[in-house]
Amino acid sequence: MNDLEYEKQKLKNVEEELETIQEGEEQILRTLPKKYSNNPVLLSNLMSATATKITNIVRMKEKPYFARIDFKEDKKNKKEKLYIGKVGVTDLDGNVVITDWRAPVSTLYYDANLGKVEYNAPKGKVKGELSLKRQIIIQNKEIEDIFDVDSVSDDELLKPYLGANADNRLKNIVASIQSEQNNIIRKSIDKNLIVQGVAGSGKTTVALHRIAYLMYNNSNKYKANQFMVIGPNKFFINYISNVLPDLDASNAVQVTYEELASNFIGEKIIFEDSTKKLADIIDKKATEDYLKFKSSLEYKELLEKYLNTYEKGIISDSGLVINNIQILSKKEIMKIYGEVLGESVKQRLDMTAKVTSNRIKNDDNIYQKIKSKMLELEKEEPDIDKKRKIVKQELDMLKELEKNGFEKQIKKYLNIANLKTINIYKEFVENVDKLYQGHDKNIELLKKNTLESLKNKIIENEDIAALMYIKLYLFGNDEYKNIKSVVIDEAQDFGIFSYYVLKNILSNAVFSIFGDMAQGIYSYRAIDGWNEVIDNVIQGAEYLTLKKSYRTSIEIMDEANKISENIGLGRANPVIRSSGPIIKSKVRKDEEIEYISNRVKHYLKEGFKSIAIIYKDQNNMLKLNKKLKALNIESEIIYKDQEKYNGGVCILTSYLSKGLEFDVVIIADVDENVYKYNNILDMKLLYVAMTRALHRLELVYDNNICKYLQ
């Protein structure tokens, strides 16, 4: 029996074994309710775990594994044949049928060459001999091919995955993770990472696989909901969400930055459409300098200065006055407030109320003060009925004092219930020009535009960090203290103030930050470089790079490198995969829509499944969509608020294409007067659009193509 026949027979055996395991697990699931009826918590956990195992088995039947390694541990006599899959499976006796790709031994498949090897396991370093590393291509329960290789980075091994359509690549990437990617994925959970990866280097897939790896290897310590992925927008979150179940990581928390902020702040918030802001900046309808300031640590320091003053003013000058009797002066209450402990203003105010209440209850002088006042009022009031009313009030007051020391009145006096984040931020913005040392037109513009937005109950993205900081300062943070690991994707678009706030809100979490400075199209609010984060927020974070692009072909990447090199951001190294030359088409403006429509028709006939037509702005998108439909081509326009893209033909702007990938990309209006070579934002937008293409890239222009591409 040759190797291929052996593997085909092995697959049939595994399929039968999976059926047996599934039947056994289903039988267990049916018996659990009766067996554990007296322990509902344990029953729920066992049923959930068993149901997950059954779901995984059903999901993996089409493709139970993707690789095999033969390994003989030095301390053992027998060589083991380990079949590696997306999810590990054990039979009902606890024997491993399929080894999980996240298991320590699986790193031999990704990193090791044949011969003497070793890997780190929980029990320590394991040494042995690796005699076989085999890639197994399975489609629809049938083995298509096998490859015996020494390295996973072998070009022949990569080609089937790099040549796949966009809708299959992300799901299959686990079979071809490269050594540089595997190194990042398997870093310890207690290590903060910042990963600078070029376009197409697999940042998103590495990020998701890292979450899956950490969840698997720390499942005995942390629950799935203690892991979080923060994405740039809802469209992006949905784009990756179908991958996480395949990686057994669907229960990780998946949120956008805005969703996290809204949930944390807890007040009714409407966020401004940040893509509209970007579009206005691109069209020169908006200025960006004051937005950059709002994203800075200097702005945070102004806000902190204001909050310190605000905090001192919470306790009014009148002191604690009840029924016209000053129980305690402001000075006395401020002394208590200064002595109590708490992580936030709210906690310290609550403690102040409690301590003040106890102090009043145990202070005879206060009783005497109330009784003296009562006698004075009685003497001053001649009317007997009113006098009785006064006496009753004072007696009730003494009863209240004996009961709880006026804690309710104290809290009302301390104004605890009226601590509102947005109101306080509005007050800060109204006074920001007084807090800022010196005159600056950007401060005036900041004040004017921010107050206008707040008046319309709209929050700019650049205000989110400030609002979260106020909330944190006032109320502290209990909700997110349980998060242990956070992955941030498209992280180049976050401002340094945002990083500062996230680090303090997610105070017990370790961060894995992924981004590409060459794709930083929101530069007006974002960091200027990764050192800014390492120096100011996440000191000691390990800085890693992914320099090889696996998405695009040599020709496409070489063309995109002309942009990145000319704006001083270096070049990406493409893998050895050719797609043929880039098509640069000079087309008259009045013929552009007709031309693009025909090209789409051509690419569909070639069999490509995802085709994107990318414009710099929304002009002509509707016209093109109408023309495509007239040709019976199903197409859709992707807008900011759209949450899903299911393949096919789509039309979108360059700034919405970030983070996505397509088999074919046609970029319209690649003219020098549209994408100006001396405008770094224009160049980043063009770079982003070009690097979305997997297999075909076509640049359409009217007069002169962008200078760097000439």
Side-chain angles (χ1 to χ4, degrees):
M1 184 185 295
N2 64 33
D3 287 347
L4 185 57
E5 288 172 347
Y6 175 87
E7 294 299 355
K8 286 182 177 180
Q9 184 58 50
K10 175 66 179 179
L11 180 59
K12 286 181 182 178
N13 295 342
V14 169
E15 286 172 353
E16 291 171 3
E17 199 160 2
L18 288 176
E19 288 290 346
T20 303
I21 294 169
Q22 183 181 336
E23 289 171 7
E25 294 294 343
E26 287 171 347
Q27 176 61 29
I28 290 170
L29 192 64
R30 286 191 290 270
T31 61
L32 284 174
K34 187 175 180 181
K35 192 173 181 180
Y36 295 97
S37 58
N38 294 328
N39 192 336
V41 174
L42 180 59
L43 173 62
S44 175
N45 291 337
L46 288 173
M47 289 191 73
S48 177
T50 307
T52 299
K53 191 170 183 179
I54 293 168
T55 301
N56 286 337
I57 291 169
V58 171
R59 186 183 292 125
M60 67 193 305
K61 280 181 180 178
E62 292 287 316
K63 193 182 296 186
Y65 47 82
F66 54 81
R68 166 186 157 188
I69 59 172
D70 290 2
F71 176 66
K72 181 185 174 298
E73 189 177 337
D74 285 348
K75 294 180 180 179
K76 295 181 180 178
N77 296 322
K78 189 179 177 184
K79 177 171 67 178
E80 292 181 282
K81 295 176 182 176
L82 305 176
Y83 286 83
I84 301 172
K86 289 182 181 178
V87 179
V89 177
T90 55
D91 63 21
L92 298 175
D93 296 322
N95 301 310
V96 176
V97 177
I98 298 169
T99 300
D100 198 294
W101 72 273
R102 297 165 290 187
V105 69
S106 297
T107 197
L108 296 177
Y109 168 71
Y110 296 110
D111 286 347
N113 293 324
L114 300 182
K116 289 291 182 182
V117 294
E118 59 182 45
Y119 67 90
N120 293 317
K123 61 182 180 181
K125 195 162 281 188
V126 178
K127 296 182 179 183
E129 176 115 8
L130 183 66
S131 56
L132 179 75
K133 185 187 288 189
R134 176 170 288 169
Q135 176 77 52
I136 302 172
I137 311 296
I138 302 173
Q139 292 293 344
N140 302 319
K141 300 184 180 181
E142 295 288 339
I143 292 183
E144 289 190 349
D145 211 343
I146 61 173
F147 298 92
D148 287 356
V149 292
D150 192 19
S151 170
V152 180
S153 61
D154 185 283
D155 289 342
E156 290 304 312
L157 183 64
L158 278 172
K159 279 180 182 177
Y161 300 99
L162 301 180
N165 289 323
D167 57 348
N168 290 321
R169 291 177 78 256
L170 204 55
K171 288 189 175 185
N172 291 332
I173 197 73
V174 69
S176 58
I177 291 169
Q178 300 300 284
S179 183
E180 64 173 359
Q181 297 171 326
N182 191 48
N183 174 50
I184 293 168
I185 290 167
R186 293 175 186 262
K187 287 283 184 184
S188 169
I189 194 170
D190 58 5
K191 189 69 179 173
N192 287 305
L193 307 178
I194 293 179
V195 180
Q196 161 61 34
V198 299
S201 59
K203 292 184 298 296
T204 297
T205 55
V206 172
L208 298 183
H209 285 75
R210 176 157 175 76
I211 276 283
Y213 172 80
L214 293 176
M215 289 173 70
Y216 174 84
N217 283 282
N218 296 278
S219 58
N220 60 329
K221 291 191 291 185
Y222 306 127
K223 296 177 181 177
N225 62 6
Q226 290 181 278
F227 296 83
M228 177 182 283
V229 180
I230 302 176
N233 51 51
K234 198 65 182 172
F235 184 95
F236 182 81
I237 291 292
N238 283 315
Y239 180 72
I240 65 168
S241 64
N242 67 333
V243 181
L244 289 173
D246 274 358
L247 298 176
D248 195 25
S250 57
N251 291 327
V253 180
Q254 304 160 54
V255 292
T256 65
Y257 177 52
E258 285 86 354
E259 286 173 332
L260 176 65
S262 180
N263 190 49
F264 179 69
I265 294 165
E267 297 177 26
K268 192 174 180 181
I269 293 174
I270 299 172
F271 292 108
E272 180 195 48
D273 181 352
S274 59
T275 57
K276 182 182 181 303
K277 172 77 66 62
L278 177 58
D280 287 344
I281 286 171
I282 291 168
D283 295 337
K284 305 302 179 189
K285 295 176 184 174
T287 184
E288 56 188 82
D289 289 347
Y290 84 92
L291 299 170
K292 187 77 173 175
F293 181 70
K294 283 205 286 188
S295 305
S296 69
L297 290 180
E298 189 180 356
Y299 192 60
K300 172 243 160 192
E301 287 163 8
L302 283 184
L303 181 55
E304 188 173 29
K305 182 179 177 182
Y306 176 79
L307 289 172
N308 287 335
T309 304
Y310 176 86
E311 185 180 352
K312 292 170 186 172
I314 287 175
I315 298 169
S316 70
D317 293 339
S318 64
L320 177 61
V321 177
I322 301 173
N323 287 1
N324 296 316
I325 301 172
Q326 188 186 68
I327 306 296
L328 289 173
S329 68
K330 176 180 179 177
K331 185 178 179 182
E332 290 172 305
I333 297 171
M334 282 296 293
K335 187 174 185 297
I336 295 170
Y337 183 77
E339 291 170 350
V340 297
L341 299 176
E343 293 182 1
S344 67
V345 171
K346 170 72 162 53
Q347 287 178 356
R348 291 176 69 193
L349 286 173
D350 285 340
M351 282 301 298
T352 299
K354 186 172 284 189
V355 171
T356 303
S357 173
N358 290 333
R359 190 165 295 182
I360 290 170
K361 285 169 70 175
N362 298 315
D363 192 337
D364 289 336
N365 290 331
I366 302 236
Y367 275 93
Q368 295 306 320
K369 189 187 289 186
I370 293 171
K371 287 175 181 177
S372 298
K373 184 69 176 178
M374 185 170 62
L375 290 171
E376 285 177 26
L377 291 169
E378 284 181 59
K379 288 176 184 176
E380 291 170 3
E381 181 54 65
D383 187 291
I384 191 69
D385 289 331
K386 288 183 179 178
K387 188 176 286 192
R388 283 176 184 155
K389 189 176 180 181
I390 290 168
V391 171
K392 184 179 183 307
Q393 282 179 341
E394 301 304 327
L395 288 173
D396 288 344
M397 192 175 179
L398 289 171
K399 286 177 185 177
E400 176 72 16
L401 178 60
E402 289 168 0
K403 184 180 177 183
N404 60 25
F406 307 114
E407 191 166 347
K408 189 185 292 184
Q409 289 96 324
I410 295 165
K411 285 187 174 183
K412 187 176 179 181
Y413 161 71
L414 294 174
N415 210 21
I416 294 174
N418 291 323
L419 293 175
K420 299 292 183 185
T421 303
I422 293 176
N423 290 345
I424 294 169
Y425 184 54
K426 185 181 176 185
E427 291 172 19
F428 162 69
V429 175
E430 286 170 345
N431 292 281
V432 70
D433 51 342
K434 300 183 186 75
L435 292 160
Y436 187 78
Q437 298 297 315
H439 178 76
D440 190 324
K441 65 178 181 180
N442 285 317
I443 296 297
E444 295 170 12
L445 194 60
L446 182 156
K447 181 176 179 178
K448 176 180 174 293
N449 289 355
T450 307
L451 288 176
E452 190 175 329
S453 294
L454 292 172
K455 183 181 177 182
N456 295 321
K457 296 182 168 50
I458 292 174
I459 304 301
E460 292 182 310
N461 179 283
E462 299 75 29
D463 293 316
I464 293 174
L467 287 167
M468 286 201 288
Y469 183 75
I470 293 170
K471 182 74 176 187
L472 185 65
Y473 188 97
L474 294 178
F475 294 92
N477 168 46
D478 292 321
E479 185 176 359
Y480 291 105
K481 282 186 176 180
N482 70 318
I483 300 294
K484 298 299 179 184
S485 180
V486 178
V487 163
I488 303 178
D489 205 0
E490 298 291 345
Q492 73 279 348
D493 291 330
F494 287 79
I496 192 65
F497 192 2
S498 296
Y499 277 111
Y500 179 89
V501 170
L502 287 172
K503 187 70 179 72
N504 281 276
I505 290 173
L506 302 162
S507 55
N508 292 322
V510 176
F511 286 73
S512 300
I513 296 168
F514 294 80
D516 178 15
M517 294 309 298
Q519 298 182 65
I521 60 175
Y522 291 94
S523 54
Y524 57 85
R525 69 174 188 229
I527 54 170
D528 295 320
W530 297 118
N531 283 340
E532 195 176 353
V533 181
I534 296 170
D535 292 344
N536 294 291
V537 181
I538 310 180
Q539 288 89 359
E542 185 174 355
Y543 179 75
L544 299 156
T545 58
L546 291 169
K547 294 182 179 179
K548 186 176 282 190
S549 175
Y550 301 96
R551 177 189 296 141
T552 57
S553 65
I554 298 170
E555 295 86 354
I556 294 170
M557 202 67 246
D558 282 348
E559 198 71 21
N561 278 334
K562 294 176 184 177
I563 302 291
S564 59
E565 286 183 299
N566 273 295
I567 60 175
L569 292 169
R571 61 181 287 114
N573 301 319
V575 294
I576 309 303
R577 179 174 71 86
S578 176
S579 64
I582 307 303
I583 298 174
K584 298 179 182 178
S585 306
K586 186 172 183 177
V587 180
R588 277 175 38 189
K589 192 66 187 168
D590 58 352
E591 297 176 353
E592 181 185 80
I593 289 175
E594 181 81 28
Y595 175 82
I596 291 175
S597 300
N598 288 328
R599 294 302 293 162
V600 170
K601 200 171 184 180
H602 165 77
Y603 288 123
L604 287 170
K605 282 182 180 177
E606 278 197 55
F608 292 110
K609 292 184 177 179
S610 63
I611 301 171
I613 302 97
I614 300 179
Y615 285 89
K616 185 181 175 184
D617 53 40
Q618 294 187 16
N619 293 337
N620 295 317
M621 285 172 57
L622 285 170
K623 289 180 183 177
L624 176 61
N625 196 42
K626 187 176 179 182
K627 177 64 178 177
L628 290 171
K629 291 188 184 303
L631 292 171
N632 293 318
I633 296 172
E634 282 297 318
S635 61
E636 64 173 325
I637 298 176
I638 292 178
Y639 293 108
K640 176 258 176 187
D641 56 355
Q642 187 168 330
E643 294 188 359
K644 287 186 179 179
Y645 166 62
N646 298 314
V649 179
C650 68
I651 309 164
L652 69 167
T653 57
S654 52
Y655 47 86
L656 278 181
S657 71
K658 188 159 62 71
L660 307 179
E661 58 184 32
F662 309 90
D663 297 332
V664 177
V665 169
I666 302 171
I667 308 178
D669 304 328
V670 190
D671 288 81
E672 178 53 46
N673 65 335
V674 177
Y675 289 99
K676 299 179 181 67
Y677 77 93
N678 56 357
N679 183 307
I680 194 163
L681 177 55
D682 281 357
M683 290 301 92
K684 285 184 176 182
L685 289 168
L686 184 54
Y687 177 82
V688 165
M690 292 172 71
T691 53
R692 302 308 95 199
L694 289 171
H695 308 301
R696 297 286 187 276
L697 174 63
E698 186 161 348
L699 309 174
V700 181
Y701 64 101
D702 175 21
N703 191 10
N704 291 313
I705 196 167
C706 172
K707 180 178 177 179
Y708 292 147
L709 303 178
Q710 288 171 10

